Amino acid sequence: MKYLCIDIGSTSIKYAESENGKLPEKVSKTPFPEALPLPEPFYEADAEKIFSIVKKIIDSSSAEAVMFSVQMHGYVLADKRGGLLTGYISWRDKRAGLKPYGFSLSPEHGVKLKYNLPRASVIVTATLFPEIAKEAEVFYTLGSYLAFRLTGNNVTHITDAAASGFYNCITGRVDFDEKDYPVKLSLPTAFTEVKPAGVYNGKTIYTPVGDQQATILGLGENDCYILNLGTAAQMCETGDIFLSGDFECRPFFDGKFLYTVTGLYGGGYIRENSRQKAITQILVSNYKTALEKLPEKNELVVTGGTLEYHKDLIFGVLKELNVKSRIAGKADAINGLCYLAKAEEK
């Protein structure tokens, strides 16, 4: 079977066709839509434009099935008829820092309280924009929004859903007290397995997955630290059991978890500060602190698009981290989606 694999990243939307889950020889990409003209800390993109790009990619493919990975911690609000009330509120949006949260999170949510957490962001949106609060009835992650537009089903995978803060990452079930929440919302159904979400124009659409998890799956590495250097960066490692610590215990695939330290300096920060004399030491300190928070491993593997532009800088950083390290071969979320497609073929 031919699969179309689409990775919706923060900078670009990548896509490739895969026969029976084999890694593609060619990956195409198109820019992710630019941010709408809003003041900080707001950061939204045109959700309809995102969908239009994705639809065009799917319509131009002869693939029989579509696999998605999507940037996480973003969302869209809609009214009961599905009419959009907001743009795509990105993970770059920090509006949740404008008001008190009014709730806490257990480790089982798989995320920590932060300014880009959708569960907190929705409260601030409802407070600042009562006209939205009055009409809002449906919450979409970016993944479930695309699934809904294509199939009519507001569904996604737990690797995408848990990043919103509304779910228990172990059970995949919604986990928050609705009676204490200021906005009554219909949330996506989250599956703990990658499975068909529905059909669009004869093509099977699979539940979208988180882009970080797809990238780590595509890397094919186990029993090591993994520094994922995208626009943002994370230090992580996979594990077989749920652990609580000074990190996020995010859902992964096949019942496993992804222990993750977030908020690290990635490509965006490096691009803006690469000429600073102290940039190497800043990164060393940042990444070393992250390593110390995770269960101990003997090796560090580094991957991500930032390596294409700042390889010498990253090599210099790795020399000072005092841990055995190496640069991974080409690995990205598209590879992870191909692995998921291959599993579907078995």
Side-chain angles (χ1 to χ4, degrees), residues 27-168:
V27 176
S28 302
K29 66 180 180 179
T30 189
F32 186 79
E34 294 183 0
L36 298 174
L38 299 171
E40 293 185 357
F42 300 93
Y43 196 108
E44 297 185 25
D46 188 327
E48 180 61 32
K49 186 174 291 186
I50 298 170
F51 172 70
S52 294
I53 293 172
V54 170
K55 182 177 180 296
K56 184 177 180 180
I57 293 170
I58 296 174
D59 287 342
S60 63
S61 171
S62 62
E64 302 158 82
V66 183
M67 290 278 185
F68 282 106
S69 59
V70 293
Q71 52 182 280
M72 300 178 292
H73 298 97
Y75 69 98
V76 179
L77 293 179
D79 60 27
K80 63 182 179 181
R81 297 174 298 278
L84 296 185
L85 298 172
T86 68
Y88 164 61
I89 300 174
S90 164
W91 62 270
R92 300 175 191 250
D93 188 288
K94 303 294 178 62
R95 72 184 67 187
L98 298 175
K99 299 286 183 179
Y101 298 126
F103 64 89
S104 61
L105 290 174
S106 69
E108 289 79 10
H109 282 91
V111 288
K112 295 182 181 296
L113 285 171
K114 45 196 172 186
Y115 291 163
N116 67 349
L117 184 71
R119 181 170 163 184
S121 178
V122 170
I123 295 174
V124 175
T125 298
T127 302
L128 296 178
F129 306 102
E131 68 279 10
I132 293 178
K134 183 179 179 181
E135 297 292 330
E137 293 194 21
V138 182
F139 175 96
Y140 301 106
T141 64
L142 178 56
S144 80
Y145 173 68
L146 294 173
F148 174 76
R149 290 297 305 273
L150 293 167
T151 71
N153 298 317
N154 186 12
V155 299
T156 192
H157 188 259
I158 188 60
T159 51
D160 172 42
S164 68
F166 285 112
Y167 296 79
N168 182 302

Side-chain angles (χ1 to χ4, degrees), residues 165-216:
F166 285 112
Y167 296 79
N168 182 302
C169 75
I170 301 174
T171 65
R173 297 172 182 167
V174 172
D175 185 6
F176 78 108
D177 198 335
E178 296 183 46
K179 69 177 185 299
D180 294 333
Y181 205 70
V183 185
K184 184 173 177 60
L185 295 172
S186 171
L187 297 169
T189 297
F191 294 109
T192 54
E193 297 178 357
V194 179
K195 59 193 299 184
V199 176
Y200 165 75
N201 201 20
K203 299 176 180 6
T204 300
I205 307 297
Y206 280 83
T207 46
V209 302
D211 58 352
Q212 182 205 7
Q213 288 90 338
T215 296
I216 301 307

Side-chain angles (χ1 to χ4, degrees), residues 11 132 165 176 198 220 285 296 334 341:
T11 304
I132 293 178
F176 78 108
S285 176
E296 186 174 357
I334 293 291

